[in-house]
Amino acid sequence: MTIQELRSDLRAIKYYYSKQKEFEKAAETVGESKIVETVKRYNQAVTNAPPRLYKVYVELYVHNNTQETVSFDWDCCVEYIRRLNKQLCIFLLEYFKGETDMEKDYDFLYEANNVYRTKNYIVKQIIGVRCSEQENNVMFSFDTYYRRTAKRNRIYEKHFRERKNKDRQRLPTTMYARTYVE
């Protein structure tokens, strides 16, 4: 499956859900459309996705919302929704390729605010802010260090091929916690 085929399927799924009652009524006389099989296949796949990607799928394709509407509802920027949608597409591509260890290999992409490489690791940085009127405000980071493997490097290169500086660097925060994954 190519990314173009996947996006075509997602457009068809969005159309199906926008006209679901009409499809169901027509199925009584004409028979069930092939799109129903596709919808079931994708729905099954997305149940294995991380929670945010699952929610993006539901909001964009089942509820037929635009990325702008979802960003407004979630109180975030449109770019964040685009990034989640891109991650959803990557997840679905890998799911349909039948990769058994995809979650472990792709985990560094999910829910990250920043992803960068060091000599031995690919690092996922999740950044948060704690505001307090009584104490100082704090920026903190949960950093997960994934050991660089050939497969993870290929995934990293493919996902960040448009970056000028592919390796980037850590965003500074006041506090951090580290976790290592082999």
Side-chain angles (χ1 to χ4, degrees):
M1 173 180 283
T2 66
I3 188 72
Q4 291 82 8
E5 292 169 330
L6 182 113
R7 290 183 194 267
S8 176
D9 284 350
L10 289 172
R11 281 191 300 275
I13 290 167
K14 191 170 193 164
Y15 181 76
Y16 168 80
Y17 278 113
S18 72
K19 308 283 186 188
Q20 185 175 8
K21 289 181 182 173
E22 295 169 31
F23 275 98
E24 290 169 354
K25 187 164 175 79
E28 295 171 8
T29 55
V30 178
E32 196 171 75
S33 171
K34 276 202 167 243
I35 187 61
V36 176
E37 291 175 25
T38 304
V39 167
K40 288 178 183 175
R41 191 168 150 243
Y42 276 74
N43 288 351
Q44 178 58 44
V46 85
T47 61
N48 295 295
R52 288 189 191 195
L53 300 185
Y54 173 88
K55 188 68 176 151
V56 163
Y57 174 82
V58 170
E59 291 296 324
L60 292 177
Y61 302 105
V62 177
H63 294 157
N64 202 20
N65 289 315
T66 64
Q67 292 178 355
E68 289 78 13
T69 302
V70 175
S71 71
F72 181 79
D73 290 346
W74 290 11
D75 195 28
C76 63
C77 66
V78 177
E79 186 55 38
Y80 178 66
I81 302 302
R82 282 191 187 111
R83 192 169 10 131
L84 286 176
N85 191 40
K86 185 175 181 180
Q87 290 174 8
L88 173 66
C89 291
I90 291 168
F91 175 85
L92 290 169
L93 278 173
E94 293 305 314
Y95 181 87
F96 291 131
K97 283 182 184 173
E99 304 242 349
T100 55
D101 58 345
M102 78 181 148
E103 285 188 33
K104 184 180 79 168
D105 289 328
Y106 279 78
D107 194 40
F108 68 86
L109 294 174
Y110 299 128
E111 300 181 359
N113 297 105
N114 183 34
V115 178
Y116 63 95
R117 286 191 296 197
T118 66
K119 181 178 178 182
N120 298 314
Y121 295 96
I122 295 174
V123 185
K124 171 173 79 173
Q125 193 176 11
I126 300 174
I127 299 171
V129 177
R130 170 120 163 86
C131 300
S132 172
E133 291 182 23
Q134 298 167 343
E135 299 176 19
N136 291 335
N137 297 333
V138 176
M139 269 183 70
F140 55 91
S141 174
F142 295 103
D143 299 351
T144 307
Y145 285 70
Y146 297 86
R147 169 109 23 226
R148 284 177 76 164
T149 63
K151 186 169 186 176
R152 284 188 185 132
N153 275 330
R154 279 194 312 275
I155 294 166
Y156 185 95
E157 289 288 334
K158 184 176 178 182
H159 191 75
F160 298 113
R161 67 180 167 268
E162 295 177 12
R163 279 186 175 177
K164 286 184 180 179
N165 176 5
K166 285 201 184 348
D167 290 333
R168 285 215 176 154
Q169 53 187 281
R170 187 177 185 285
L171 297 175
T173 58
T174 314
M175 301 182 331
Y176 65 88
R178 288 184 178 177
T179 306
Y180 290 86
V181 176
E182 288 302 315

